Amino acid sequence: MQKLLPRLLSNPPKHSFSYFFSHSVSKTTYDPPFSPISKPPKPKPKPPDLTPNRNPTPIKSSLPFDFRHSYSETDPTLEPIGFREPKRFSPFGPGRLDREWTGTSTPVRDQLDSCLVEEESIRVLGDPLTEEEIEELVEKHRHSDCARQTNLGKNGVTHNMLDDIHNHWKRAEAVRIKCLGVPTLDMDNVCFQLEEKSGGKIIYRHINILILYWGRNYDPQNRPVIPLMLWKPYPPIYPKLVKNIADGLTFEETKEMRNRGLHSPALMKLMRNGVYVNVVARVREAFETGEVIRLDCIHVGKSDCKRIDVKLRDLAPCVPILFKDEQIILWRGKRDQERNSDISDANEKSSGQSLLDRLLVDSVAWKSHCC
């Protein structure tokens, strides 16, 4: 008995069920109850056929103005001195527009009659709104929670913004426009470009908030064709904004003006994407008592500072003499000398006219005396 016990412990009896199941069912036919079901492979998607889109039909637009990326922040009369990309790269896409890209704009091919264009815009606007109708529209769209709103940023009135305005006009007769950034320096230009390019009428203007009305006879189904720009084109290269020696000053005088401006207190501190509607008036007022002013633009950004320089140069008017560490130094120019020269020219003209009148009187008196 003692001899059999170690054998039994070393060779324990096998379970009859497991032994039978493992020997009766082969490994190839074994299928557990929860085995994953093999799904048929998904068919691979066919590649899209690009043959019909290789030569798209060019879009034709009857809008009577040149297409630009920005209408309010570019000057058509100013010619660039270079381009950062070839002119063949049109932002409208290759072959998508029947106008050629010149690097800054796509000019109109067929010039339209300005009288016909003006008559059509007058017809779309229709009769002017009454005061009650204007008050109703303003009360509906002037609040910040208005659903029909588009924002105007540092690029100003852009080409794609016109399409956004017409999309809002599909469901509402007016759109609220919130303006921020550099374009707010010249809100008159923004209002003019919006009315001219969209064909609507601004019925409300408060600081940087505008409400643009579509007109009584506007038909959303017959809206003008506005081809979209697929990307923002690179800005061209323009002449240098700040010259080494300011016009009308010597090198030493320019240096002295710059040092005086850097050490003078800042007239204003501008913030990024702010509202600058009162900057031009403040600059003009400061030039009445001072010759050089400084604007603190530390949080504005380098590109926006250059745009502000250009706007103030034309609106104030003034001469930008330094742009350093996002500080703008402006000089009012030699206005006293220009004013004195204008006064002297007027005096010379008046004295010459009086001399001619005296000669005419003397000649008439001499003729009457001879007769």
Side-chain angles (χ1 to χ4, degrees):
M1 193 68 179
Q2 292 179 354
K3 293 181 179 179
L4 292 174
L5 185 60
R7 291 183 180 178
L8 294 174
L9 294 175
S10 61
N11 297 322
K14 299 180 180 178
H15 298 286
S16 61
F17 178 76
S18 62
Y19 181 80
F20 173 78
F21 187 80
S22 62
H23 282 73
S24 63
V25 181
S26 63
K27 294 182 180 180
T28 58
T29 60
Y30 175 67
D31 187 14
F34 299 104
S35 61
I37 300 174
S38 60
K39 296 181 180 180
K42 294 182 179 180
K44 295 182 179 180
K46 296 181 180 180
D49 188 10
L50 301 177
T51 304
N53 296 329
R54 288 179 181 175
N55 297 319
T57 303
I59 300 174
K60 295 183 179 180
S61 180
S62 60
L63 293 174
F65 52 85
D66 302 344
F67 294 161
R68 293 176 172 269
H69 174 256
S70 177
Y71 298 105
S72 61
E73 304 305 303
T74 55
D75 188 2
T77 61
L78 186 60
E79 293 294 333
I81 59 177
F83 297 93
R84 292 183 171 89
E85 62 181 1
K87 298 180 181 179
R88 65 178 181 273
F89 295 146
S90 173
F92 295 95
R96 295 186 68 253
L97 189 63
D98 63 339
R99 303 183 185 185
E100 295 183 0
W101 177 254
T102 62
T104 57
S105 65
T106 53
V108 181
R109 280 191 171 182
D110 301 328
Q111 295 292 339
L112 301 177
D113 190 0
S114 59
C115 296
L116 296 178
V117 174
E118 186 176 359
E119 290 177 359
E120 178 64 18
S121 62
I122 294 174
R123 185 194 67 80
V124 172
L125 288 176
D127 298 333
L129 297 175
T130 62
E131 294 183 0
E132 292 78 10
E133 292 174 334
I134 292 177
E135 290 179 0
E136 182 181 356
L137 286 174
V138 169
E139 183 62 27
K140 184 179 178 181
H141 293 87
R142 71 182 180 88
H143 300 286
S144 59
D145 58 349
C146 176
R148 302 300 165 197
Q149 173 179 316
T150 182
N151 296 326
L152 188 146
K154 67 178 182 179
N155 292 323
V157 183
T158 59
H159 179 77
N160 289 357
M161 184 181 177
L162 301 179
D163 183 74
D164 192 15
I165 290 173
H166 285 281
N167 289 335
H168 282 295
W169 281 347
K170 287 182 180 179
R171 299 172 179 85
E173 52 190 347
V175 58
R176 181 178 187 264
I177 302 175
K178 183 178 181 181
C179 308
L180 295 173
V182 182
T184 57
L185 284 167
D186 191 3
M187 289 298 296
D188 294 337
N189 183 34
V190 171
C191 296
F192 172 76
Q193 295 295 339
L194 283 173
E195 290 183 345
E196 183 185 21
K197 299 303 186 294
S198 67
K201 180 69 175 178
I202 292 178
I203 59 175
Y204 177 78
R205 172 180 172 181
H206 178 67
I207 307 178
N208 64 322
I209 303 298
L210 305 174
I211 295 179
L212 187 62
Y213 175 65
W214 64 2
R216 290 187 182 274
N217 302 321
Y218 178 81
D219 186 7
Q221 303 298 329
N222 297 324
R223 52 175 287 180
V225 178
I226 304 177
L228 296 179
M229 283 190 175
L230 304 183
W231 65 83
K232 178 182 176 180
Y234 285 104
I237 303 172
Y238 289 99
K240 192 175 180 180
L241 177 62
V242 179
K243 299 180 180 180
N244 295 331
I245 302 175
D247 296 336
L249 296 176
T250 62
F251 177 77
E252 297 297 333
E253 291 175 343
T254 305
K255 184 177 179 180
E256 191 270 335
M257 288 286 183
R258 290 170 177 169
N259 292 332
R260 193 198 309 178
L262 285 174
H263 293 88
S264 63
L267 176 66
M268 298 182 67
K269 186 175 183 180
L270 305 182
M271 303 302 293
R272 188 175 183 85
N273 292 331
V275 181
Y276 311 140
V277 293
N278 61 339
V279 173
V280 176
R282 291 282 301 276
V283 170
R284 290 176 179 173
E285 183 180 357
F287 278 146
E288 294 180 359
T289 57
E291 194 174 6
V292 182
I293 63 172
R294 178 172 68 92
L295 297 178
D296 187 1
C297 306
I298 193 65
H299 300 293
V300 173
K302 187 175 181 180
S303 61
D304 287 358
C305 285
K306 292 182 179 180
R307 297 170 185 263
I308 293 172
D309 266 352
V310 175
K311 291 276 188 181
L312 292 177
R313 180 191 62 182
D314 300 332
L315 296 175
C318 58
V319 180
I321 59 176
L322 183 62
F323 171 71
K324 181 180 180 181
D325 298 333
E326 297 184 355
Q327 303 293 316
I328 298 176
I329 309 301
L330 302 174
W331 175 51
R332 69 178 181 182
K334 295 186 176 182
R335 298 186 178 182
D336 297 336
Q337 295 183 1
E338 294 176 357
R339 190 176 304 168
N340 294 334
S341 62
D342 295 339
I343 293 173
S344 62
D345 293 341
N347 293 334
E348 290 179 359
K349 289 181 181 180
S350 60
S351 62
Q353 187 67 29
S354 61
L355 180 60
L356 288 175
D357 295 340
R358 188 180 301 173
L359 291 175
L360 289 174
V361 171
D362 293 342
S363 62
V364 171
W366 181 78
K367 286 182 180 180
S368 60
H369 178 71
C370 292
C371 295

